[in-house]
Amino acid sequence: MPIPAIILWGAAAVIGAVGGAKAIDAHNNNSKAERIVERSKDNYKRASEALENDRKGTGERLAALGKLKAEVFSHQIKHLVSMHKKFHSRLKGYNESFTVEDLRKCEKMVAQSVTLSQAVSSGASAAVSGGLTALGAYGAVGAFATASTGTAISALSGAAATNATLAWLGGGSLAAGGFGMAGGMVALGGIALAPILAIAGFWAAGRSEENLSNAKDYESQVDQACVQMERIRTELSGIRANCDELAGVICRMAELFNRYKVYDMKDRESFEKMMLIGKKLKAILDLPVIRKDGSAIPNIRATYSGLLEF
């Protein structure tokens, strides 16, 4: 018995409606997936740009602190060493005099700092940058300790290169080789940031639900990366705060040294005061602002507060 035409038309209408609904669902899913991906990409771009700005700012702050330390070594500490060598035989009974080992180390640091300062003045910025960053980050002892031979520049640049975080902060060779946000992992205080993979080949034709699921997975990865970047920015903020605080203390101590600066022992009290201030200033120059893992030294004031007592 032939099927009435009206029934066929009705079945076709139902099939068409179902097919239309699926097409609408697929379109909605794909549209939603596209919005999620675009929003996530925008969020990642903003977060990575903010982190890059903080990276540059932190590297500049460390280099500025390193430059200040090199200048103080080249002037105040150089004078301190000179006066000690000239008058050490008359310092009997003076408890704050240098030991032979202290003097040897101090002379070496002064010589390297003078070389570094001269390189800064001559405009050799590319080679000097890593040295200043290392000196600011680690302090004189930590930076110069890696040097066995060679100039201050090569020694300090080498110190910077041994620390992935410091190389990243200074924009050094590791950064140039793809150590940036798109190149793998940033190690800073135990924080690891995995790169976000490209979205190419993301879409599967005719699989809108899979596309939506993939988009949500991508969103989750980006959200996690943004959280990690914010944590890194917090660490960088702590490093910059340490740089500012230590720079202020160094400047105050250098000014105090200059106030008592003498060139002979005619005023023994002033001479001994200068020597005492100089030794404490030297100890402050030795202080790092970051730990070996690249994170900020916590409560940096506690590391130098005792050195301000006379």
Side-chain angles (χ1 to χ4, degrees), residues 218-245:
Y218 180 77
E219 180 182 39
S220 178
Q221 292 180 48
V222 170
D223 288 345
Q224 291 176 30
C226 289
V227 169
Q228 292 281 48
M229 283 189 275
E230 189 60 33
R231 290 176 60 197
I232 295 174
R233 292 186 66 200
T234 298
E235 287 288 350
L236 295 180
S237 177
I239 293 172
R240 293 195 300 275
N242 282 353
C243 288
D244 292 343
E245 183 160 354

mmCIF file of all heavy atoms in Angstrom, residues 218-245:
data_model
loop_
_atom_site.group_PDB
_atom_site.id
_atom_site.type_symbol
_atom_site.label_atom_id
_atom_site.label_comp_id
_atom_site.label_asym_id
_atom_site.label_seq_id
_atom_site.Cartn_x
_atom_site.Cartn_y
_atom_site.Cartn_z
ATOM 1 N N TYR A 218 41.981 24.224 26.619
ATOM 2 C CA TYR A 218 42.936 25.290 26.327
ATOM 3 C C TYR A 218 42.765 26.437 27.328
ATOM 4 O O TYR A 218 43.750 26.988 27.844
ATOM 5 C CB TYR A 218 42.708 25.787 24.906
ATOM 6 C CG TYR A 218 43.625 26.896 24.470
ATOM 7 C CD1 TYR A 218 44.937 26.639 24.110
ATOM 8 C CD2 TYR A 218 43.162 28.211 24.388
ATOM 9 C CE1 TYR A 218 45.788 27.656 23.705
ATOM 10 C CE2 TYR A 218 44.002 29.234 23.987
ATOM 11 C CZ TYR A 218 45.305 28.953 23.633
ATOM 12 O OH TYR A 218 46.139 29.962 23.234
ATOM 13 N N GLU A 219 41.532 26.793 27.604
ATOM 14 C CA GLU A 219 41.235 27.850 28.573
ATOM 15 C C GLU A 219 41.816 27.511 29.945
ATOM 16 O O GLU A 219 42.390 28.361 30.624
ATOM 17 C CB GLU A 219 39.725 28.053 28.678
ATOM 18 C CG GLU A 219 39.311 29.141 29.661
ATOM 19 C CD GLU A 219 37.809 29.264 29.753
ATOM 20 O OE1 GLU A 219 37.119 28.211 29.734
ATOM 21 O OE2 GLU A 219 37.305 30.394 29.846
ATOM 22 N N SER A 220 41.679 26.246 30.336
ATOM 23 C CA SER A 220 42.202 25.810 31.631
ATOM 24 C C SER A 220 43.724 25.940 31.684
ATOM 25 O O SER A 220 44.289 26.391 32.680
ATOM 26 C CB SER A 220 41.785 24.360 31.888
ATOM 27 O OG SER A 220 42.326 23.895 33.111
ATOM 28 N N GLN A 221 44.395 25.543 30.586
ATOM 29 C CA GLN A 221 45.860 25.667 30.529
ATOM 30 C C GLN A 221 46.288 27.126 30.629
ATOM 31 O O GLN A 221 47.247 27.459 31.337
ATOM 32 C CB GLN A 221 46.378 25.073 29.223
ATOM 33 C CG GLN A 221 46.235 23.569 29.097
ATOM 34 C CD GLN A 221 46.773 23.080 27.761
ATOM 35 O OE1 GLN A 221 47.873 23.451 27.357
ATOM 36 N NE2 GLN A 221 45.987 22.281 27.059
ATOM 37 N N VAL A 222 45.596 27.994 29.918
ATOM 38 C CA VAL A 222 45.933 29.416 29.948
ATOM 39 C C VAL A 222 45.704 29.994 31.335
ATOM 40 O O VAL A 222 46.525 30.766 31.843
ATOM 41 C CB VAL A 222 45.122 30.186 28.893
ATOM 42 C CG1 VAL A 222 45.282 31.688 29.090
ATOM 43 C CG2 VAL A 222 45.560 29.791 27.495
ATOM 44 N N ASP A 223 44.609 29.620 31.965
ATOM 45 C CA ASP A 223 44.318 30.117 33.314
ATOM 46 C C ASP A 223 45.434 29.721 34.283
ATOM 47 O O ASP A 223 45.873 30.530 35.115
ATOM 48 C CB ASP A 223 42.978 29.574 33.811
ATOM 49 C CG ASP A 223 41.788 30.219 33.108
ATOM 50 O OD1 ASP A 223 41.994 31.261 32.453
ATOM 51 O OD2 ASP A 223 40.671 29.671 33.199
ATOM 52 N N GLN A 224 45.887 28.478 34.173
ATOM 53 C CA GLN A 224 46.961 28.018 35.047
ATOM 54 C C GLN A 224 48.257 28.788 34.767
ATOM 55 O O GLN A 224 48.982 29.163 35.693
ATOM 56 C CB GLN A 224 47.188 26.521 34.850
ATOM 57 C CG GLN A 224 46.054 25.646 35.360
ATOM 58 C CD GLN A 224 46.291 24.172 35.061
ATOM 59 O OE1 GLN A 224 47.421 23.717 35.002
ATOM 60 N NE2 GLN A 224 45.219 23.415 34.857
ATOM 61 N N ALA A 225 48.539 29.019 33.492
ATOM 62 C CA ALA A 225 49.749 29.762 33.131
ATOM 63 C C ALA A 225 49.680 31.196 33.652
ATOM 64 O O ALA A 225 50.679 31.747 34.126
ATOM 65 C CB ALA A 225 49.933 29.763 31.615
ATOM 66 N N CYS A 226 48.501 31.806 33.572
ATOM 67 C CA CYS A 226 48.332 33.176 34.059
ATOM 68 C C CYS A 226 48.541 33.248 35.567
ATOM 69 O O CYS A 226 49.127 34.212 36.086
ATOM 70 C CB CYS A 226 46.957 33.713 33.693
ATOM 71 S SG CYS A 226 46.755 34.062 31.916
ATOM 72 N N VAL A 227 48.072 32.235 36.279
ATOM 73 C CA VAL A 227 48.300 32.183 37.730
ATOM 74 C C VAL A 227 49.790 32.077 38.024
ATOM 75 O O VAL A 227 50.318 32.750 38.920
ATOM 76 C CB VAL A 227 47.534 30.993 38.352
ATOM 77 C CG1 VAL A 227 47.965 30.768 39.802
ATOM 78 C CG2 VAL A 227 46.037 31.252 38.301
ATOM 79 N N GLN A 228 50.488 31.239 37.275
ATOM 80 C CA GLN A 228 51.927 31.082 37.453
ATOM 81 C C GLN A 228 52.654 32.391 37.154
ATOM 82 O O GLN A 228 53.589 32.784 37.874
ATOM 83 C CB GLN A 228 52.461 29.982 36.522
ATOM 84 C CG GLN A 228 51.980 28.577 36.887
ATOM 85 C CD GLN A 228 52.775 28.002 38.047
ATOM 86 O OE1 GLN A 228 52.972 28.647 39.055
ATOM 87 N NE2 GLN A 228 53.248 26.784 37.878
ATOM 88 N N MET A 229 52.244 33.060 36.093
ATOM 89 C CA MET A 229 52.883 34.330 35.750
ATOM 90 C C MET A 229 52.661 35.368 36.840
ATOM 91 O O MET A 229 53.552 36.172 37.128
ATOM 92 C CB MET A 229 52.376 34.831 34.396
ATOM 93 C CG MET A 229 53.003 34.108 33.217
ATOM 94 S SD MET A 229 52.631 34.847 31.609
ATOM 95 C CE MET A 229 51.064 34.076 31.238
ATOM 96 N N GLU A 230 51.489 35.364 37.442
ATOM 97 C CA GLU A 230 51.217 36.301 38.527
ATOM 98 C C GLU A 230 52.101 35.995 39.731
ATOM 99 O O GLU A 230 52.577 36.909 40.416
ATOM 100 C CB GLU A 230 49.735 36.233 38.913
ATOM 101 C CG GLU A 230 49.302 37.308 39.884
ATOM 102 C CD GLU A 230 49.503 38.718 39.344
ATOM 103 O OE1 GLU A 230 49.365 38.913 38.111
ATOM 104 O OE2 GLU A 230 49.826 39.627 40.137
ATOM 105 N N ARG A 231 52.344 34.714 39.989
ATOM 106 C CA ARG A 231 53.233 34.335 41.090
ATOM 107 C C ARG A 231 54.658 34.807 40.813
ATOM 108 O O ARG A 231 55.358 35.287 41.707
ATOM 109 C CB ARG A 231 53.215 32.814 41.269
ATOM 110 C CG ARG A 231 51.911 32.259 41.829
ATOM 111 C CD ARG A 231 51.952 30.736 41.889
ATOM 112 N NE ARG A 231 53.029 30.255 42.735
ATOM 113 C CZ ARG A 231 53.496 29.011 42.718
ATOM 114 N NH1 ARG A 231 52.989 28.129 41.866
ATOM 115 N NH2 ARG A 231 54.465 28.648 43.532
ATOM 116 N N ILE A 232 55.098 34.668 39.560
ATOM 117 C CA ILE A 232 56.430 35.137 39.192
ATOM 118 C C ILE A 232 56.516 36.649 39.350
ATOM 119 O O ILE A 232 57.509 37.185 39.845
ATOM 120 C CB ILE A 232 56.779 34.721 37.756
ATOM 121 C CG1 ILE A 232 56.862 33.198 37.648
ATOM 122 C CG2 ILE A 232 58.096 35.336 37.311
ATOM 123 C CD1 ILE A 232 57.056 32.683 36.241
ATOM 124 N N ARG A 233 55.468 37.361 38.961
ATOM 125 C CA ARG A 233 55.451 38.819 39.100
ATOM 126 C C ARG A 233 55.551 39.226 40.570
ATOM 127 O O ARG A 233 56.186 40.241 40.900
ATOM 128 C CB ARG A 233 54.197 39.399 38.470
ATOM 129 C CG ARG A 233 54.134 39.286 36.950
ATOM 130 C CD ARG A 233 52.919 40.018 36.407
ATOM 131 N NE ARG A 233 53.036 41.449 36.645
ATOM 132 C CZ ARG A 233 52.011 42.284 36.644
ATOM 133 N NH1 ARG A 233 50.769 41.833 36.446
ATOM 134 N NH2 ARG A 233 52.197 43.577 36.848
ATOM 135 N N THR A 234 54.937 38.440 41.446
ATOM 136 C CA THR A 234 55.033 38.722 42.878
ATOM 137 C C THR A 234 56.476 38.586 43.352
ATOM 138 O O THR A 234 56.971 39.414 44.127
ATOM 139 C CB THR A 234 54.124 37.770 43.669
ATOM 140 O OG1 THR A 234 52.754 37.983 43.271
ATOM 141 C CG2 THR A 234 54.245 38.024 45.167
ATOM 142 N N GLU A 235 57.162 37.534 42.879
ATOM 143 C CA GLU A 235 58.566 37.354 43.231
ATOM 144 C C GLU A 235 59.414 38.510 42.704
ATOM 145 O O GLU A 235 60.295 39.028 43.400
ATOM 146 C CB GLU A 235 59.106 36.034 42.678
ATOM 147 C CG GLU A 235 58.618 34.799 43.397
ATOM 148 C CD GLU A 235 59.232 34.656 44.788
ATOM 149 O OE1 GLU A 235 60.167 35.409 45.119
ATOM 150 O OE2 GLU A 235 58.770 33.785 45.536
ATOM 151 N N LEU A 236 59.150 38.921 41.475
ATOM 152 C CA LEU A 236 59.911 40.019 40.883
ATOM 153 C C LEU A 236 59.686 41.319 41.648
ATOM 154 O O LEU A 236 60.611 42.121 41.827
ATOM 155 C CB LEU A 236 59.519 40.201 39.415
ATOM 156 C CG LEU A 236 59.862 39.048 38.472
ATOM 157 C CD1 LEU A 236 59.414 39.377 37.053
ATOM 158 C CD2 LEU A 236 61.341 38.739 38.491
ATOM 159 N N SER A 237 58.477 41.520 42.106
ATOM 160 C CA SER A 237 58.180 42.700 42.912
ATOM 161 C C SER A 237 59.002 42.704 44.196
ATOM 162 O O SER A 237 59.523 43.743 44.620
ATOM 163 C CB SER A 237 56.677 42.747 43.243
ATOM 164 O OG SER A 237 56.375 43.841 44.091
ATOM 165 N N GLY A 238 59.143 41.529 44.803
ATOM 166 C CA GLY A 238 59.952 41.409 46.014
ATOM 167 C C GLY A 238 61.419 41.695 45.744
ATOM 168 O O GLY A 238 62.098 42.329 46.562
ATOM 169 N N ILE A 239 61.925 41.253 44.584
ATOM 170 C CA ILE A 239 63.321 41.521 44.227
ATOM 171 C C ILE A 239 63.541 43.023 44.032
ATOM 172 O O ILE A 239 64.534 43.583 44.506
ATOM 173 C CB ILE A 239 63.700 40.744 42.950
ATOM 174 C CG1 ILE A 239 63.705 39.238 43.234
ATOM 175 C CG2 ILE A 239 65.076 41.193 42.438
ATOM 176 C CD1 ILE A 239 63.887 38.385 41.987
ATOM 177 N N ARG A 240 62.611 43.673 43.354
ATOM 178 C CA ARG A 240 62.754 45.121 43.138
ATOM 179 C C ARG A 240 62.711 45.880 44.458
ATOM 180 O O ARG A 240 63.481 46.836 44.665
ATOM 181 C CB ARG A 240 61.660 45.631 42.190
ATOM 182 C CG ARG A 240 61.788 45.095 40.769
ATOM 183 C CD ARG A 240 60.917 45.898 39.804
ATOM 184 N NE ARG A 240 59.505 45.844 40.152
ATOM 185 C CZ ARG A 240 58.679 44.884 39.785
ATOM 186 N NH1 ARG A 240 59.125 43.858 39.067
ATOM 187 N NH2 ARG A 240 57.400 44.908 40.128
ATOM 188 N N ALA A 241 61.831 45.455 45.354
ATOM 189 C CA ALA A 241 61.753 46.109 46.665
ATOM 190 C C ALA A 241 63.068 45.932 47.430
ATOM 191 O O ALA A 241 63.552 46.873 48.081
ATOM 192 C CB ALA A 241 60.586 45.531 47.466
ATOM 193 N N ASN A 242 63.656 44.744 47.343
ATOM 194 C CA ASN A 242 64.947 44.497 47.996
ATOM 195 C C ASN A 242 66.037 45.400 47.409
ATOM 196 O O ASN A 242 66.875 45.935 48.139
ATOM 197 C CB ASN A 242 65.363 43.034 47.832
ATOM 198 C CG ASN A 242 64.622 42.104 48.783
ATOM 199 O OD1 ASN A 242 63.885 42.550 49.655
ATOM 200 N ND2 ASN A 242 64.800 40.814 48.614
ATOM 201 N N CYS A 243 66.033 45.543 46.089
ATOM 202 C CA CYS A 243 67.023 46.406 45.428
ATOM 203 C C CYS A 243 66.910 47.837 45.931
ATOM 204 O O CYS A 243 67.923 48.476 46.257
ATOM 205 C CB CYS A 243 66.828 46.376 43.912
ATOM 206 S SG CYS A 243 67.318 44.840 43.103
ATOM 207 N N ASP A 244 65.696 48.340 45.989
ATOM 208 C CA ASP A 244 65.485 49.721 46.424
ATOM 209 C C ASP A 244 65.926 49.917 47.868
ATOM 210 O O ASP A 244 66.570 50.913 48.207
ATOM 211 C CB ASP A 244 64.011 50.098 46.270
ATOM 212 C CG ASP A 244 63.576 50.176 44.813
ATOM 213 O OD1 ASP A 244 64.461 50.253 43.931
ATOM 214 O OD2 ASP A 244 62.362 50.163 44.555
ATOM 215 N N GLU A 245 65.566 48.967 48.718
ATOM 216 C CA GLU A 245 65.904 49.107 50.134
ATOM 217 C C GLU A 245 67.412 49.037 50.357
ATOM 218 O O GLU A 245 67.985 49.851 51.087
ATOM 219 C CB GLU A 245 65.194 48.031 50.958
ATOM 220 C CG GLU A 245 65.442 48.172 52.446
ATOM 221 C CD GLU A 245 64.386 47.455 53.293
ATOM 222 O OE1 GLU A 245 63.408 46.947 52.728
ATOM 223 O OE2 GLU A 245 64.556 47.414 54.504
#
